[in-house]
Amino acid sequence: MTKEIRLDGIRIGYGISGSFCTFGRSFDAAVRLKSLGAELVPVMSFNAANLSTRFGKAQDNVAHIEEIAGCKEPELPEFCWNGKIYDHGD
C-alpha cells in the first residue's frame, strides 16, 4: 500500500527550458503537482517562452503553463551577468 504525499503549502519554482519535445509530459507533471496541492511559480527560459516549434507556438506554451499554475511567469526587471546587474533596457 502506497501512501500519497501532499504538497499543500509548498511553493515550487517550475522551470521549463528548451527540450521542446518534452513540454507535453512537463505540463502533465505540473498538473500532477497542482493536484497534490503544490503552488507552482512558472519560470521559462528565454527560448522556451519565445520560440515556436513543431511542438507548439510559444505564446500557447506560456499560456498553458500559466493556466496550470494559476499565475503568470514573474517579470524579471533585471538580470545579473558576471557580477554586474543589468536592466533589460541595457
Side-chain angles (χ1 to χ4, degrees):
M1 180 161 75
T2 303
K3 183 178 180 182
E4 187 167 293
I5 62 169
R6 293 293 307 163
L7 299 174
D8 299 307
I10 304 295
R11 180 179 295 163
I12 299 172
Y14 195 83
I16 300 175
S17 62
S19 188
F20 300 98
C21 64
T22 64
F23 279 18
R25 286 183 288 179
S26 181
F27 295 146
D28 292 344
V31 168
R32 177 82 173 122
L33 289 169
K34 286 292 286 188
S35 75
L36 294 173
E39 177 186 344
L40 298 183
V41 178
V43 180
M44 299 182 82
S45 70
F46 179 86
N47 285 347
N50 290 285
L51 294 180
S52 293
T53 71
R54 65 186 172 130
F55 300 103
K57 293 181 181 176
Q59 63 269 25
D60 293 343
N61 290 328
V62 172
H64 191 54
I65 192 61
E66 289 176 346
E67 178 183 339
I68 293 168
C71 65
K72 292 194 174 289
E73 180 181 19
E75 300 256 343
L76 301 175
E78 54 191 32
F79 63 96
C80 180
W81 180 260
N82 289 336
K84 183 177 177 190
I85 302 293
Y86 295 88
D87 186 323
H88 284 287
D90 288 343

Coordinates of all heavy atoms in Angstrom, one line a residue:
M1 N 0.8 -1.2 0.0 CA 0.0 0.0 0.0 C 0.9 1.2 0.0 O 1.8 1.4 0.8 CB -0.9 0.0 1.2 CG -1.8 1.2 1.3 SD -3.2 1.0 2.4 CE -2.5 1.1 4.0
T2 N 0.6 2.1 -0.9 CA 1.4 3.3 -1.1 C 0.6 4.5 -0.5 O -0.5 4.7 -0.9 CB 1.8 3.6 -2.5 OG1 2.5 2.5 -3.1 CG2 2.6 4.8 -2.7
K3 N 1.3 5.3 0.3 CA 0.6 6.5 0.9 C 1.0 7.7 0.0 O 2.1 7.9 -0.3 CB 1.1 6.7 2.3 CG 0.4 7.9 2.9 CD 0.9 8.1 4.4 CE 0.2 9.3 4.9 NZ 0.7 9.6 6.3
E4 N 0.0 8.4 -0.5 CA 0.2 9.5 -1.4 C 0.6 10.7 -0.6 O 0.0 11.0 0.5 CB -1.1 9.9 -2.2 CG -0.8 10.9 -3.2 CD -1.9 11.0 -4.2 OE1 -2.1 10.1 -5.0 OE2 -2.6 12.1 -4.2
I5 N 1.7 11.4 -1.0 CA 2.1 12.6 -0.3 C 1.2 13.8 -0.7 O 0.6 13.8 -1.7 CB 3.6 12.9 -0.6 CG1 3.8 13.2 -2.1 CG2 4.5 11.8 -0.2 CD1 5.1 13.8 -2.5
R6 N 1.2 14.8 0.2 CA 0.5 16.0 -0.1 C 1.6 17.1 -0.1 O 2.5 17.1 0.6 CB -0.5 16.3 1.0 CG -1.7 15.4 1.0 CD -2.6 15.4 -0.2 NE -3.0 16.8 -0.5 CZ -3.5 17.2 -1.6 NH1 -3.7 16.4 -2.7 NH2 -3.9 18.5 -1.8
L7 N 1.4 18.1 -1.0 CA 2.3 19.2 -1.1 C 1.6 20.5 -0.7 O 2.0 21.6 -1.2 CB 2.8 19.3 -2.5 CG 3.6 18.0 -3.0 CD1 4.0 18.1 -4.4 CD2 4.9 17.9 -2.1
D8 N 0.6 20.5 0.1 CA -0.2 21.7 0.5 C 0.8 22.7 1.1 O 1.6 22.3 2.0 CB -1.3 21.4 1.4 CG -2.3 20.4 0.8 OD1 -2.8 20.8 -0.3 OD2 -2.6 19.4 1.4
G9 N 0.7 23.9 0.6 CA 1.6 25.0 1.2 C 3.0 25.0 0.7 O 3.8 25.8 1.1
I10 N 3.4 24.1 -0.2 CA 4.7 24.1 -0.8 C 4.7 24.8 -2.1 O 4.0 24.6 -3.0 CB 5.2 22.6 -1.0 CG1 5.1 21.8 0.2 CG2 6.6 22.6 -1.6 CD1 6.0 22.2 1.3
R11 N 5.6 25.8 -2.2 CA 5.8 26.6 -3.4 C 7.0 26.1 -4.2 O 8.1 25.9 -3.7 CB 6.1 28.1 -3.0 CG 6.2 29.0 -4.3 CD 6.5 30.4 -4.0 NE 5.3 30.9 -3.3 CZ 5.3 32.0 -2.6 NH1 6.3 32.7 -2.4 NH2 4.1 32.4 -2.0
I12 N 6.7 25.8 -5.4 CA 7.7 25.2 -6.3 C 7.9 26.1 -7.5 O 7.0 26.5 -8.2 CB 7.3 23.8 -6.8 CG1 7.1 22.8 -5.7 CG2 8.3 23.2 -7.8 CD1 6.4 21.5 -6.0
G13 N 9.2 26.5 -7.7 CA 9.6 27.2 -8.9 C 9.7 26.2 -10.1 O 10.5 25.3 -10.1
Y14 N 8.7 26.2 -11.0 CA 8.6 25.2 -12.0 C 9.3 25.7 -13.3 O 8.7 26.5 -14.0 CB 7.1 24.8 -12.3 CG 7.0 23.6 -13.0 CD1 7.0 22.3 -12.4 CD2 6.8 23.6 -14.4 CE1 6.9 21.2 -13.1 CE2 6.7 22.4 -15.1 CZ 6.7 21.2 -14.4 OH 6.6 20.0 -15.1
G15 N 10.5 25.2 -13.5 CA 11.3 25.7 -14.6 C 11.1 24.8 -15.9 O 11.1 23.6 -15.8
I16 N 11.0 25.5 -17.0 CA 10.9 24.9 -18.3 C 11.9 25.5 -19.2 O 12.0 26.7 -19.4 CB 9.5 25.0 -18.9 CG1 8.4 24.4 -18.0 CG2 9.4 24.4 -20.3 CD1 7.0 24.7 -18.4
S17 N 12.7 24.6 -19.8 CA 13.7 25.1 -20.8 C 13.5 24.4 -22.1 O 12.5 23.7 -22.3 CB 15.1 25.0 -20.3 OG 15.4 23.6 -20.0
G18 N 14.5 24.5 -23.0 CA 14.3 24.2 -24.4 C 14.3 22.8 -24.9 O 14.7 22.5 -26.0
S19 N 13.9 21.8 -24.1 CA 13.7 20.5 -24.7 C 12.2 20.4 -25.1 O 11.4 19.8 -24.4 CB 14.1 19.4 -23.7 OG 14.0 18.1 -24.3
F20 N 11.9 21.0 -26.2 CA 10.5 21.3 -26.6 C 9.7 20.0 -26.7 O 8.5 20.0 -26.5 CB 10.5 22.1 -27.9 CG 11.1 23.4 -27.8 CD1 12.4 23.6 -28.2 CD2 10.5 24.5 -27.3 CE1 13.0 24.8 -28.1 CE2 11.1 25.7 -27.1 CZ 12.4 25.9 -27.6
C21 N 10.3 18.9 -27.1 CA 9.6 17.6 -27.3 C 9.0 17.1 -26.0 O 8.2 16.2 -26.0 CB 10.4 16.6 -28.0 SG 11.9 16.1 -27.1
T22 N 9.5 17.6 -24.9 CA 9.1 17.1 -23.6 C 8.0 18.0 -22.9 O 7.6 17.7 -21.8 CB 10.2 16.9 -22.6 OG1 10.8 18.2 -22.3 CG2 11.3 16.0 -23.1
F23 N 7.6 19.1 -23.6 CA 6.7 20.0 -23.0 C 5.4 19.3 -22.6 O 4.8 19.6 -21.5 CB 6.4 21.2 -23.9 CG 7.4 22.3 -23.9 CD1 8.7 22.1 -23.4 CD2 7.1 23.5 -24.4 CE1 9.7 23.1 -23.4 CE2 8.1 24.6 -24.4 CZ 9.4 24.3 -23.9
G24 N 4.9 18.5 -23.4 CA 3.6 17.8 -23.1 C 3.7 17.0 -21.8 O 2.8 17.1 -20.9
R25 N 4.8 16.3 -21.6 CA 5.0 15.5 -20.4 C 5.2 16.4 -19.2 O 4.8 16.2 -18.1 CB 6.1 14.5 -20.5 CG 5.8 13.3 -21.3 CD 6.9 12.3 -21.4 NE 7.9 12.9 -22.3 CZ 9.0 12.3 -22.6 NH1 9.3 11.1 -22.1 NH2 9.9 12.9 -23.4
S26 N 5.9 17.5 -19.4 CA 6.1 18.5 -18.4 C 4.8 19.1 -17.9 O 4.6 19.3 -16.7 CB 7.1 19.6 -18.9 OG 7.4 20.5 -17.8
F27 N 4.0 19.5 -18.9 CA 2.7 20.0 -18.5 C 1.9 19.0 -17.7 O 1.2 19.4 -16.7 CB 1.9 20.5 -19.7 CG 2.5 21.6 -20.5 CD1 2.4 21.7 -21.8 CD2 3.2 22.6 -19.8 CE1 2.9 22.7 -22.6 CE2 3.8 23.7 -20.5 CZ 3.6 23.7 -21.9
D28 N 1.9 17.7 -18.0 CA 1.3 16.7 -17.3 C 1.8 16.6 -15.8 O 1.0 16.5 -14.9 CB 1.4 15.3 -17.9 CG 0.7 15.2 -19.3 OD1 -0.2 16.1 -19.5 OD2 1.0 14.3 -20.0
A29 N 3.1 16.7 -15.7 CA 3.7 16.7 -14.4 C 3.3 17.9 -13.5 O 3.1 17.8 -12.3 CB 5.3 16.7 -14.5
A30 N 3.2 19.1 -14.2 CA 2.8 20.3 -13.5 C 1.3 20.1 -13.0 O 1.0 20.5 -11.8 CB 2.9 21.5 -14.4
V31 N 0.5 19.5 -13.8 CA -0.9 19.2 -13.4 C -0.9 18.3 -12.2 O -1.7 18.5 -11.2 CB -1.7 18.6 -14.5 CG1 -3.1 18.1 -14.0 CG2 -2.0 19.7 -15.6
R32 N -0.1 17.3 -12.2 CA 0.0 16.4 -11.1 C 0.5 17.1 -9.8 O -0.1 16.8 -8.7 CB 1.0 15.2 -11.4 CG 1.2 14.2 -10.3 CD 0.1 13.2 -10.3 NE 0.5 12.2 -9.3 CZ -0.2 11.9 -8.2 NH1 -1.4 12.5 -8.0 NH2 0.2 11.0 -7.4
L33 N 1.5 17.9 -9.9 CA 1.9 18.7 -8.7 C 0.8 19.5 -8.1 O 0.6 19.6 -6.9 CB 3.2 19.5 -9.1 CG 4.5 18.7 -9.3 CD1 5.5 19.6 -9.9 CD2 5.0 18.1 -8.0
K34 N 0.1 20.2 -9.0 CA -1.0 21.0 -8.6 C -2.1 20.2 -7.9 O -2.7 20.6 -6.8 CB -1.7 21.8 -9.7 CG -0.9 23.0 -10.2 CD -0.8 24.1 -9.2 CE -2.1 24.8 -9.1 NZ -2.1 26.0 -8.3
S35 N -2.4 19.0 -8.4 CA -3.4 18.1 -7.8 C -3.0 17.6 -6.4 O -3.8 17.3 -5.6 CB -3.7 16.9 -8.7 OG -2.6 16.0 -8.7
L36 N -1.7 17.6 -6.2 CA -1.1 17.3 -4.8 C -1.1 18.5 -3.9 O -0.7 18.3 -2.7 CB 0.2 16.6 -5.0 CG 0.3 15.3 -5.7 CD1 1.7 14.9 -5.9 CD2 -0.5 14.2 -4.9
G37 N -1.5 19.6 -4.4 CA -1.6 20.8 -3.5 C -0.5 21.8 -3.6 O -0.5 22.8 -2.9
A38 N 0.5 21.6 -4.5 CA 1.6 22.5 -4.6 C 1.2 23.8 -5.3 O 0.3 23.8 -6.1 CB 2.7 21.8 -5.4
E39 N 1.9 24.9 -4.9 CA 1.7 26.2 -5.5 C 2.9 26.3 -6.5 O 4.1 26.1 -6.1 CB 1.8 27.3 -4.5 CG 1.8 28.7 -5.1 CD 2.0 29.8 -4.1 OE1 2.0 29.5 -2.9 OE2 2.3 30.9 -4.6
L40 N 2.6 26.4 -7.8 CA 3.6 26.5 -8.8 C 3.9 27.9 -9.3 O 2.9 28.7 -9.5 CB 3.2 25.7 -10.1 CG 3.0 24.2 -9.9 CD1 2.7 23.5 -11.2 CD2 4.2 23.5 -9.2
V41 N 5.1 28.3 -9.4 CA 5.5 29.5 -10.0 C 6.3 29.2 -11.3 O 7.4 28.7 -11.2 CB 6.5 30.3 -9.0 CG1 6.9 31.6 -9.6 CG2 5.8 30.6 -7.7
P42 N 5.6 29.5 -12.4 CA 6.3 29.1 -13.7 C 7.4 30.0 -14.0 O 7.4 31.2 -13.9 CB 5.1 29.2 -14.7 CG 4.2 30.2 -14.1 CD 4.3 30.1 -12.6
V43 N 8.5 29.4 -14.4 CA 9.7 30.1 -14.9 C 10.2 29.4 -16.2 O 10.5 28.2 -16.2 CB 10.9 30.1 -13.8 CG1 12.1 30.8 -14.3 CG2 10.4 30.6 -12.5
M44 N 10.3 30.2 -17.2 CA 10.7 29.6 -18.5 C 11.9 30.3 -19.0 O 12.1 31.5 -18.8 CB 9.5 29.8 -19.6 CG 8.2 29.1 -19.2 SD 7.0 29.3 -20.4 CE 7.4 28.0 -21.6
S45 N 12.8 29.5 -19.7 CA 14.0 30.1 -20.3 C 13.5 31.0 -21.4 O 12.4 30.9 -21.9 CB 14.9 29.0 -20.8 OG 14.3 28.4 -22.0
F46 N 14.4 31.8 -21.9 CA 14.1 32.8 -23.0 C 13.6 32.0 -24.2 O 12.5 32.3 -24.8 CB 15.3 33.6 -23.4 CG 15.0 34.6 -24.5 CD1 14.4 35.8 -24.2 CD2 15.3 34.2 -25.8 CE1 14.1 36.7 -25.3 CE2 15.0 35.1 -26.9 CZ 14.4 36.3 -26.6
N47 N 14.3 30.9 -24.6 CA 13.9 30.2 -25.8 C 12.6 29.5 -25.6 O 11.7 29.4 -26.5 CB 15.0 29.2 -26.1 CG 16.2 29.8 -26.8 OD1 16.1 31.0 -27.2 ND2 17.3 29.1 -26.9
A48 N 12.4 28.9 -24.4 CA 11.1 28.1 -24.1 C 9.9 29.1 -24.2 O 8.8 28.7 -24.7 CB 11.2 27.5 -22.8
A49 N 10.1 30.3 -23.8 CA 9.0 31.3 -23.8 C 8.8 32.0 -25.1 O 7.7 32.6 -25.3 CB 9.2 32.3 -22.7
N50 N 9.8 32.0 -26.0 CA 9.8 32.8 -27.2 C 9.9 32.1 -28.5 O 9.7 32.8 -29.6 CB 10.9 33.9 -27.1 CG 10.6 34.9 -26.0 OD1 9.7 35.8 -26.2 ND2 11.2 34.8 -24.9
L51 N 10.2 30.8 -28.5 CA 10.4 30.1 -29.8 C 9.2 29.2 -30.1 O 8.9 28.4 -29.2 CB 11.7 29.3 -29.8 CG 13.0 30.1 -29.8 CD1 14.2 29.1 -29.8 CD2 13.1 31.1 -30.9
S52 N 8.6 29.4 -31.2 CA 7.6 28.4 -31.7 C 8.2 27.3 -32.4 O 9.2 27.5 -33.2 CB 6.6 29.2 -32.6 OG 5.8 30.1 -31.8
T53 N 7.8 26.1 -32.2 CA 8.4 24.9 -32.9 C 7.2 24.0 -33.4 O 6.1 24.3 -33.2 CB 9.3 24.1 -31.9 OG1 8.4 23.5 -30.9 CG2 10.3 25.0 -31.2
R54 N 7.6 22.9 -33.9 CA 6.6 21.9 -34.4 C 5.8 21.3 -33.2 O 4.8 20.7 -33.3 CB 7.2 20.8 -35.2 CG 8.2 20.0 -34.5 CD 8.8 19.0 -35.4 NE 9.9 18.3 -34.8 CZ 10.0 16.9 -34.8 NH1 9.2 16.2 -35.5 NH2 11.0 16.4 -34.2
F55 N 6.4 21.6 -32.0 CA 5.7 21.1 -30.7 C 4.7 22.1 -30.1 O 4.1 21.8 -29.1 CB 6.8 20.7 -29.7 CG 7.7 19.6 -30.2 CD1 8.9 19.9 -30.6 CD2 7.2 18.3 -30.3 CE1 9.8 18.9 -31.1 CE2 8.0 17.3 -30.8 CZ 9.3 17.6 -31.2
G56 N 4.6 23.3 -30.8 CA 3.7 24.2 -30.3 C 4.2 25.7 -30.4 O 5.3 25.9 -30.6
K57 N 3.2 26.6 -30.4 CA 3.5 28.0 -30.5 C 4.0 28.5 -29.1 O 3.4 28.1 -28.1 CB 2.3 28.8 -30.9 CG 1.8 28.5 -32.4 CD 0.6 29.4 -32.7 CE 0.2 29.1 -34.1 NZ -1.0 29.8 -34.5
A58 N 4.9 29.4 -29.1 CA 5.5 29.9 -27.9 C 4.4 30.5 -27.0 O 4.3 30.2 -25.8 CB 6.6 31.0 -28.2
Q59 N 3.6 31.4 -27.5 CA 2.5 32.0 -26.7 C 1.5 31.0 -26.1 O 1.0 31.2 -25.0 CB 1.8 33.2 -27.5 CG 1.0 32.7 -28.7 CD 1.8 32.8 -30.0 OE1 3.1 32.7 -30.0 NE2 1.2 32.9 -31.1
D60 N 1.3 29.9 -26.9 CA 0.4 28.9 -26.4 C 1.0 28.1 -25.2 O 0.3 27.8 -24.2 CB 0.0 27.9 -27.5 CG -0.9 28.5 -28.6 OD1 -1.4 29.6 -28.3 OD2 -1.0 27.9 -29.7
N61 N 2.3 27.8 -25.3 CA 3.0 27.1 -24.2 C 3.1 28.0 -23.0 O 2.8 27.5 -21.9 CB 4.4 26.8 -24.7 CG 4.4 25.7 -25.7 OD1 3.6 24.8 -25.8 ND2 5.4 25.7 -26.6
V62 N 3.3 29.3 -23.1 CA 3.4 30.2 -22.0 C 2.0 30.2 -21.3 O 1.8 30.1 -20.1 CB 3.9 31.6 -22.4 CG1 3.7 32.6 -21.2 CG2 5.3 31.5 -22.8
A63 N 1.0 30.4 -22.2 CA -0.4 30.5 -21.6 C -0.8 29.2 -20.9 O -1.5 29.2 -19.9 CB -1.4 30.8 -22.8
H64 N -0.4 28.1 -21.5 CA -0.8 26.8 -20.9 C -0.2 26.6 -19.5 O -0.9 26.2 -18.6 CB -0.4 25.6 -21.8 CG -1.0 24.3 -21.5 ND1 -2.3 24.1 -21.3 CD2 -0.4 23.1 -21.2 CE1 -2.6 22.9 -20.9 NE2 -1.4 22.2 -20.9
I65 N 1.1 26.9 -19.3 CA 1.7 26.7 -18.0 C 1.2 27.7 -17.0 O 1.0 27.4 -15.9 CB 3.3 26.7 -18.1 CG1 3.9 26.1 -16.7 CG2 3.9 28.0 -18.4 CD1 3.5 24.7 -16.4
E66 N 0.9 28.9 -17.5 CA 0.3 29.9 -16.6 C -1.1 29.5 -16.2 O -1.5 29.7 -15.0 CB 0.3 31.3 -17.3 CG 1.7 31.9 -17.4 CD 1.7 33.2 -18.1 OE1 0.7 33.6 -18.8 OE2 2.8 33.9 -18.1
E67 N -1.8 28.9 -17.1 CA -3.2 28.4 -16.7 C -3.1 27.3 -15.7 O -3.8 27.2 -14.7 CB -3.9 27.9 -18.0 CG -5.3 27.3 -17.7 CD -5.9 26.8 -19.0 OE1 -5.5 27.1 -20.1 OE2 -6.8 25.9 -18.8
I68 N -2.2 26.3 -15.9 CA -2.0 25.2 -14.9 C -1.6 25.8 -13.6 O -2.1 25.4 -12.6 CB -0.9 24.2 -15.5 CG1 -1.4 23.5 -16.7 CG2 -0.5 23.2 -14.4 CD1 -0.3 22.7 -17.4
A69 N -0.6 26.7 -13.6 CA -0.1 27.2 -12.3 C -1.1 28.2 -11.6 O -1.0 28.3 -10.4 CB 1.2 28.0 -12.6
G70 N -1.9 28.8 -12.4 CA -2.9 29.7 -11.9 C -2.3 31.1 -11.6 O -2.8 31.9 -10.9
C71 N -1.1 31.3 -12.2 CA -0.4 32.6 -12.1 C 0.5 32.8 -13.3 O 0.8 31.9 -14.0 CB 0.3 32.8 -10.8 SG 1.7 31.7 -10.7
K72 N 0.9 34.0 -13.5 CA 1.8 34.4 -14.6 C 3.3 34.1 -14.2 O 3.6 34.2 -13.1 CB 1.6 35.8 -15.1 CG 0.3 36.0 -15.7 CD 0.3 37.4 -16.4 CE -1.0 37.6 -17.2 NZ -1.1 36.7 -18.4
E73 N 4.1 33.9 -15.2 CA 5.5 33.9 -15.0 C 6.0 35.2 -14.5 O 5.5 36.3 -15.0 CB 6.3 33.6 -16.3 CG 7.7 33.5 -16.2 CD 8.5 33.2 -17.5 OE1 7.9 33.4 -18.6 OE2 9.6 32.8 -17.4
P74 N 6.8 35.3 -13.4 CA 7.2 36.6 -12.9 C 8.0 37.4 -13.9 O 8.8 36.8 -14.7 CB 8.1 36.2 -11.7 CG 8.2 34.8 -11.6 CD 7.4 34.2 -12.7
E75 N 7.8 38.7 -13.9 CA 8.5 39.6 -14.8 C 9.8 39.9 -14.1 O 9.8 40.2 -12.9 CB 7.8 40.9 -15.0 CG 6.4 40.7 -15.7 CD 6.5 41.1 -17.2 OE1 7.4 41.8 -17.6 OE2 5.5 40.6 -17.9
L76 N 10.9 39.7 -14.8 CA 12.2 40.0 -14.2 C 12.8 41.3 -14.7 O 13.1 41.4 -15.8 CB 13.2 38.8 -14.5 CG 12.8 37.5 -14.0 CD1 13.7 36.4 -14.4 CD2 12.6 37.4 -12.5
P77 N 12.8 42.3 -13.8 CA 13.2 43.7 -14.3 C 14.7 43.8 -14.6 O 15.2 44.7 -15.2 CB 12.8 44.6 -13.1 CG 12.9 43.7 -11.9 CD 12.5 42.3 -12.4
E78 N 15.5 42.9 -14.1 CA 17.0 43.0 -14.2 C 17.6 41.6 -14.2 O 16.9 40.6 -13.8 CB 17.6 43.8 -13.2 CG 17.2 43.4 -11.8 CD 17.6 44.4 -10.7 OE1 17.6 45.6 -11.0 OE2 18.0 43.9 -9.6
F79 N 18.8 41.5 -14.7 CA 19.5 40.2 -14.6 C 20.9 40.4 -14.2 O 21.4 41.6 -14.3 CB 19.4 39.4 -15.9 CG 20.0 40.1 -17.1 CD1 21.3 39.7 -17.5 CD2 19.3 41.0 -17.8 CE1 21.8 40.4 -18.6 CE2 19.9 41.7 -18.9 CZ 21.1 41.3 -19.3
C80 N 21.6 39.4 -13.8 CA 23.0 39.5 -13.3 C 23.9 38.7 -14.3 O 23.6 37.6 -14.7 CB 23.1 38.9 -11.9 SG 24.7 39.0 -11.2
W81 N 25.0 39.4 -14.7 CA 26.0 38.7 -15.6 C 27.3 39.1 -15.1 O 27.7 40.3 -15.0 CB 25.7 39.1 -17.0 CG 26.7 38.4 -18.0 CD1 27.8 39.0 -18.5 CD2 26.6 37.1 -18.4 NE1 28.4 38.1 -19.3 CE2 27.7 36.9 -19.3 CE3 25.8 36.0 -18.2 CZ2 28.0 35.7 -19.9 CZ3 26.0 34.8 -18.9 CH2 27.1 34.7 -19.7
N82 N 28.1 38.1 -14.7 CA 29.5 38.4 -14.2 C 29.5 39.4 -13.1 O 30.4 40.2 -13.1 CB 30.4 38.8 -15.4 CG 30.7 37.7 -16.3 OD1 30.6 36.5 -16.0 ND2 31.1 38.0 -17.6
G83 N 28.5 39.3 -12.2 CA 28.5 40.1 -11.0 C 28.0 41.5 -11.2 O 27.9 42.3 -10.3
K84 N 27.6 41.9 -12.4 CA 27.0 43.2 -12.7 C 25.5 43.0 -13.0 O 25.1 42.2 -13.7 CB 27.7 43.8 -13.9 CG 27.2 45.2 -14.2 CD 27.9 45.9 -15.3 CE 27.3 47.3 -15.6 NZ 27.8 47.9 -16.8
I85 N 24.7 43.9 -12.4 CA 23.3 43.9 -12.5 C 22.9 44.8 -13.8 O 23.4 45.9 -13.9 CB 22.6 44.5 -11.3 CG1 22.9 43.7 -10.1 CG2 21.1 44.5 -11.5 CD1 22.4 42.3 -10.1
Y86 N 22.1 44.2 -14.7 CA 21.7 44.9 -15.9 C 20.2 45.0 -15.9 O 19.5 44.1 -15.5 CB 22.1 44.1 -17.1 CG 23.6 44.0 -17.3 CD1 24.3 43.0 -16.8 CD2 24.2 45.0 -18.1 CE1 25.7 42.9 -17.0 CE2 25.6 44.9 -18.3 CZ 26.3 43.9 -17.7 OH 27.7 43.8 -17.9
D87 N 19.7 46.1 -16.4 CA 18.3 46.3 -16.7 C 18.1 45.7 -18.1 O 19.0 45.7 -18.9 CB 17.9 47.8 -16.7 CG 16.4 48.0 -16.8 OD1 15.8 47.3 -17.6 OD2 16.0 49.0 -16.2
H88 N 16.9 45.2 -18.4 CA 16.7 44.6 -19.8 C 16.8 45.7 -20.8 O 17.0 45.4 -22.0 CB 15.3 44.0 -19.8 CG 15.2 42.7 -19.1 ND1 15.8 41.5 -19.7 CD2 14.7 42.3 -18.0 CE1 15.7 40.5 -18.8 NE2 15.0 40.9 -17.8
G89 N 16.8 47.0 -20.5 CA 17.0 48.0 -21.5 C 18.4 48.3 -21.8 O 18.7 49.0 -22.8
D90 N 19.4 47.7 -21.0 CA 20.8 48.0 -21.3 C 21.3 47.2 -22.5 O 20.9 46.2 -22.9 CB 21.6 47.5 -20.1 CG 21.5 48.4 -18.9 OD1 21.0 49.5 -19.0 OD2 21.8 48.0 -17.8

